Each structure stands twice: as C-alpha cells, then as structure tokens.
Amino acid sequence: MGQEDEYNYGDGCGGAHSIVLVDGWEGMRIHADVPQHGASSADLLQHMLACDVAPAYQERWPDIKRMERKTTLCAQRFFVIEDLCVATQVHQWTTRFVVRPSFVENKYGAKIMTAEGVTLQLIPLDMLMTAQCETVQGHPAKPDAACGIVDFVHVGSQHHQLTRSEEHT
C-alpha cells in the first residue's frame, strides 16, 4: 500500500508458503467467476484438514480431476502434508515450499531454522524424490529480504506426495 513491490511472485497465490504448481505455472489467479474449491473436511479429533482445490486449476487445465491437500498434525509434534493430484493428461507437478532464507539443503529435502529457534525439516516420504532448492533475493522485502524455495517435482498423470515437516528444538 503506497509502496512499489520489489518482486511479484506470479499473479496469484503462487507465492503462498506452500502450493502445488502444474507445468511450472506460477500465476494461480482465477479470472472466471467459478468456485475455488470442491469438497473440504476437517477432523479435529484426528487433527486433520483436507480440501480439493481442483476448480482453481481447471480454468487453465480442464483435465485436472482432483487436486487435494490434506494436512495432519501427528503426536502434537510434526505435520504430514499429503498432495493427491489426478489428471487425464501428463503434467509436471511441483510441490513447492517457500521458506526462510536460512534453510539448509540436505540429501532429501531441506532444514529450516525459524526465528523462534525451532528447526523444521521438509522430507518427502518417497525417498526416491529429491528436492530442488534455490534462494530468491529481494522477496519478500521483510523480514529477511530473501526466501528459499524448496521444490519436489514429479511427472505423470497422477502425483501423490507425502511431505513430513518435523520439528526439532
């Protein structure tokens, strides 16, 4: 507000802290007046939230039938993020996390130290998949003037990824 953006990460929610990108497209803004999500559910006893956001992707990719993310808090200690993507055509699916710039790339994913001193590790539960990591300077402007991008990429008509975010203090 009243200030020019130094870096515009796509023209929509492609700059969210975690998202599934299709075919490398980062501009996820919906231009038509359509629903942004399908079925959603919450099970507070099991500490689980889920939502199918296929309608948000179907404007650009009508062949996408399911784009569901389920997040579960396990043992009050770590999260499991499950992405289930189904289409009738082959796509490049990228599960992307935007993290603090102090991340450290490791063999399977990335380790992040929060400002509060908590260490989180992003690890795909499919150990054949590895992370592609990079640092982006100048975005966001505050608090660090940079961020890290951690991508897990799969090519196919379906993508089923489980990512664990484990906390270590």
Side-chain angles (χ1 to χ4, degrees), residues 64-157:
I64 291 179
K65 303 303 177 202
R66 188 170 180 188
M67 184 69 80
E68 182 176 292
R69 172 164 284 179
K70 180 172 23 174
T71 304
T72 306
L73 174 62
C74 303
Q76 299 292 319
R77 182 145 178 87
F78 65 93
F79 287 94
V80 173
I81 301 166
E82 179 179 8
D83 291 322
L84 179 57
C85 311
V86 178
T88 58
Q89 298 176 15
V90 172
H91 293 283
Q92 176 182 298
W93 309 96
T94 303
T95 298
R96 171 169 287 178
F97 296 90
V98 179
V99 299
R100 300 294 295 267
S102 58
F103 77 96
V104 176
E105 189 172 357
N106 61 35
K107 184 175 179 181
Y108 296 109
K111 186 161 97 173
I112 304 106
M113 175 72 75
T114 69
E116 299 78 23
V118 175
T119 301
L120 301 171
Q121 296 194 56
L122 292 174
I123 304 166
L125 297 183
D126 173 0
M127 290 304 180
L128 298 176
M129 186 176 289
T130 57
Q132 299 171 7
C133 301
E134 68 177 290
T135 299
V136 176
Q137 296 296 329
H139 176 76
K142 295 180 182 178
D144 302 311
C147 69
I149 293 178
V150 181
D151 286 347
F152 299 98
V153 180
H154 174 76
V155 175
S157 61

Side-chain angles (χ1 to χ4, degrees), residues 18-41:
S18 66
I19 190 169
V20 176
L21 302 175
V22 180
D23 300 332
W25 180 253
E26 295 177 346
M28 290 298 302
R29 182 162 294 156
I30 299 173
H31 297 96
D33 186 17
V34 296
Q36 295 187 27
H37 64 85
S40 62
S41 62

